[in-house]
């Protein structure tokens, strides 16, 4: 197993038919969720923000191809109806079924298709590597590979799947991510752990700076493994979130390289994260990465507009193991720097010399392919 | 005349040799300036923030090819030296010469080249259409056309030139812009007028969301036309700034279309501007414009993440004359909408129904060419 079926008590299934996919995941337990901060929240997000208050889930149903976003009251009713369809297919109370959608904004759900797909997917539910992979593939849109992560400790496991490739600048919520653990944990604790893990992982990925209307991350704890150490659980959940977040960045639309920016020496962790996010989001940094052009001045320029106080002439910057700036002094050997940008991962380390804050953010290069994918996505 | 030489008392000259250009503009008068808010300010910006306190200028010297940004104390001394070189060539006190630079960050100025170019450009100073065009061309980097604007009233004139194509998300300051008027006006009044005009023009252009280290706009008032009505002067300066700003957007790196987004019904003007800027900056909106894809949901999604309070189901949206959403109801005819995106300007009008705030922002589409230009800009 590579993800959710590595967790006791989780079964999954999914199908993908052209643009339209549907996944079902069955697992009962304490549940927590984080949601997009975009003001134009999708209907399934509205539904789940209410439903997650009860603090438990028995299943989730997810469709790809239509975001059910900006669809008003009809969209809300459709999202509720989608839970009922899935609940019917699974023999569960609709209120205990979570719902998420991803795809084009401003289009209504095709409920007959969802009904048909639920009817065919439900009998396929299984606790297997194939099943978790089918679910991960069913929720893909422009993703080029399914995204799995699993952390196993001696006493419990945490697994997750996610999707996301474009419209990626999560804020508080994230793209679609579904995490499971067999640890036994109280709802408020799980919510707290998930919020922190999300802040340090999904919320530090920027593909294009656009925050989706549909971002959600759910974590369900089945309790099958009994009580566990809280810190250990938090570490495992954060590790799974980070693993999935890095996969999203690497699979950014049109990306050829992963961009990893670590900012240290910031006034605090939030400031470090803000600078790191600003650098990975900069179109000029992203195109330089693509061109393997050691135009490191763009990194300093992006950091300078992040709204964080620091002295530009105190900073140190390196790419890979190659120093570029040492406490404000330019020491860049541009031939070496170019060589350090050749691999599939380009890592900058920026020390602001303004405190103890540390954070890493992930993104990708900006290529002609991103333009091609997004110039022709809907119609 | 098309710009600065349409103003009494202004003479100009410039040369462009490969990547390296130099312009001189001679005009004595009351002067005002606005500057980048990027924390990593370029050396010439640092110098000018101090010098503008005296409130007058006799000339400006501008080079392209090297930004003299992130160059520390040596960069600062070089910028001061550049004023002295220009002052020497023009027979002026160096303290009365303004300086600006644009180009690659993290490289030192080539002062022998600047000396040589100043020596050759100074004798060419003239009050002519050719001269203003030579100056406008000398300051270009990735710009594809020189940018001129001129407003003539019965009693006075305002002219300006600017450059800017990439790293465009001005904030408080702008790219390089040089404005002249023969109106007689006190320094603080001119500063106030310029700040407001900049806020409503250059600060509403986003090409790629990267705020330059070198943004500046200067306005010099020669006084040759005598005292004028303050409101009329403000209107003329704002019109020139807006004309230049739109030219920058249209000449965005790799752009094929101008994107104009008007937001009305916002809580106030600043909120309207924030939403408009967020929409024109959205990579997903920009790529949809390029693909002439009426994926208008991306406009609503971008507006939703701008941090401004509104009800997504109260908004109205149109592209050109084609309504897409009317008070929250989807009325889009996608064939008509696609047709409305075919011209060289694509204009969205978004009514948030949340107040009286109105603002327009300008940007451009995102194309493969932007990636190509910026993947290979320095080395």
């Amino acid at each position: 197993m590579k993800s959710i079926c590595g967790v006791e008590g989780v079964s999954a299934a999914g199908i993908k038919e052209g643009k339209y996919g549907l996944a079902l995941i069955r697992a009962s337990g304490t549940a927590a969720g984080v949601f997009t901060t975009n003001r134009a929240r999708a209907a399934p997000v509205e539904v789940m923000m209410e439903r997650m208050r009860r603090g438990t889930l028995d299943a989730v149903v997810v469709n790809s191809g239509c975001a059910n976003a900006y669809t008003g009251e009809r969209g809300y009713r459709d999202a509720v109806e989608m839970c009922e369809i899935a609940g019917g297919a699974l023999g569960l109370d609709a209120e205990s079924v979570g719902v998420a959608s991803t795809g084009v904004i401003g289009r209504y759900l095709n409920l007959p298709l969802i009904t048909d797909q639920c009817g065919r997917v439900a009998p396929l539910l299984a606790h297997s590597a194939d099943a978790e992979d089918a679910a991960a593939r069913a929720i893909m849109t422009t993703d080029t590979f399914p995204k799995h992560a699993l952390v196993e400790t001696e006493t419990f496991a945490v697994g997750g799947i996610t999707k996301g490739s474009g419209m990626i600048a999560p804020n508080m919520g994230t793209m679609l991510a579904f995490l499971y653990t067999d640890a036994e944990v109280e709802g408020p604790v799980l919510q707290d752990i998930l919020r922190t893990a999300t802040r340090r992982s999904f919320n530090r990925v920027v593909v294009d700076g656009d925050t989706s209307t549909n971002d959600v991350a759910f974590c369900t704890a089945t309790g099958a493994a009994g009580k566990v150490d809280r810190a250990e659980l938090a570490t495992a959940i954060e590790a799974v979130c980070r693993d999935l977040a890095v996969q999203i960045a690497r699979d950014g639309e049109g990306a050829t390289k992963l961009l990893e920016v670590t900012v240290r020496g910031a006034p605090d962790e939030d400031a470090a994260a803000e600078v790191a996010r600003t650098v990975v989001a900069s179109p000029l940094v992203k195109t330089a990465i693509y061109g393997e052009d050691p135009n490191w001045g763009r990194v300093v320029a992006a950091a300078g507009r992040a709204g964080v106080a620091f002295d530009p002439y105190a900073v140190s910057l390196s790419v890979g193991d190659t120093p570029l700036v040492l406490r404000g002094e330019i020491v860049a050997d541009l031939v070496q720097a170019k060589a350090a940008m050749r691999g599939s991962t380009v890592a900058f380390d920026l020390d602001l010399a303004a405190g103890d804050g540390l954070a890493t953010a992930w993104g990708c290069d900006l290529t002609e392919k991103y333009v091609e994918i997004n110039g022709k996505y809907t119609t």
Side-chain angles (χ1 to χ4, degrees), chain A residues 142-145 147 164-166 207 246-255:
Chain A
T142 52
D143 305 63
T144 68
F145 59 83
K147 299 174 181 69
S165 184
V207 167
V246 171
Q247 291 182 57
I248 285 175
R250 189 175 288 285
D251 198 23
E253 286 173 342

Side-chain angles (χ1 to χ4, degrees), chain A residues 36-209:
Chain A
T36 183
T37 54
N38 193 307
R39 194 161 286 272
R41 283 190 294 266
V45 174
E46 297 280 0
V47 171
M48 289 313 295
M49 287 176 80
E50 291 166 21
R51 296 230 173 142
M52 291 305 281
R53 286 193 202 125
R54 52 185 273 174
T56 60
L57 280 177
D58 289 319
V60 295
V61 56
V62 193
N63 75 289
S64 59
C66 171
N68 191 11
Y70 207 70
T71 45
E73 285 175 29
R74 175 171 160 192
Y76 187 90
R77 288 196 306 271
D78 286 352
V80 169
E81 174 75 19
M82 189 168 150
C83 293
E84 281 164 17
I85 294 166
L90 296 169
L92 291 170
D93 177 6
E95 294 275 321
S96 74
V97 178
V99 60
S101 298
T102 178
V104 181
I105 297 168
R107 303 284 168 86
Y108 295 111
L109 278 182
N110 180 345
L111 287 176
L113 175 66
I114 302 253
T115 306
D116 177 55
Q117 289 184 325
C118 273
R120 286 182 286 135
V121 171
L124 305 175
L125 276 176
H127 181 76
S128 71
D130 283 352
E132 69 186 8
D133 201 52
R137 287 178 188 278
I139 62 175
M140 288 164 58
T141 52
T142 52
D143 305 63
T144 68
F145 59 83
K147 299 174 181 69
H148 298 274
L150 180 63
V151 167
E152 293 173 293
T153 71
E154 285 188 12
T155 52
F156 68 96
V158 179
I161 59 172
T162 192
K163 67 80 54 180
S165 184
M167 202 179 257
I168 300 289
N171 190 5
M172 286 301 156
T174 169
M175 329 54 28
L176 306 189
F178 305 96
L179 286 87
Y180 290 88
T181 177
D182 48 10
E184 185 181 330
V185 54
E186 285 170 15
V189 174
L190 186 62
Q191 183 67 41
D192 194 48
I193 288 173
L194 180 63
R195 193 177 292 121
T196 301
T198 299
R199 183 167 57 77
R200 291 183 167 160
S201 56
F202 298 119
N203 288 7
R204 295 200 182 148
V205 173
V206 183
V207 167
D208 50 18

Side-chain angles (χ1 to χ4, degrees), chain A residues 284-285 288 292-299 334 341 348:
Chain A
L284 290 170
V285 171
E292 298 180 347
D293 177 356
N295 196 345
W296 57 266
R298 293 178 177 178
V299 173
L334 294 182
M341 295 174 74
F348 284 98

Side-chain angles (χ1 to χ4, degrees), chain A residues 332-351:
Chain A
D333 173 327
L334 294 182
V335 175
Q336 260 185 21
K338 192 173 177 68
M341 295 174 74
R342 269 197 201 113
S344 64
T345 300
V346 176
F348 284 98
D349 191 298
L350 177 64
D351 185 343

Side-chain angles (χ1 to χ4, degrees), chain A residues 309-374:
Chain A
F310 67 92
D311 174 4
Y313 294 109
V315 312
S316 299
L317 175 69
S318 58
V319 57
D321 297 328
T322 305
L324 299 167
V325 177
L326 272 179
R327 289 178 292 284
E329 191 194 341
I330 302 173
V331 296
D333 173 327
L334 294 182
V335 175
Q336 260 185 21
K338 192 173 177 68
M341 295 174 74
R342 269 197 201 113
S344 64
T345 300
V346 176
F348 284 98
D349 191 298
L350 177 64
D351 185 343
L352 300 180
D356 294 322
L358 172 73
T360 298
W362 299 273
C364 59
D365 53 350
L366 173 59
T367 71
E368 293 93 346
K369 188 86 184 164
Y370 176 88
V371 176
E372 193 189 306
I373 292 169
N374 284 298

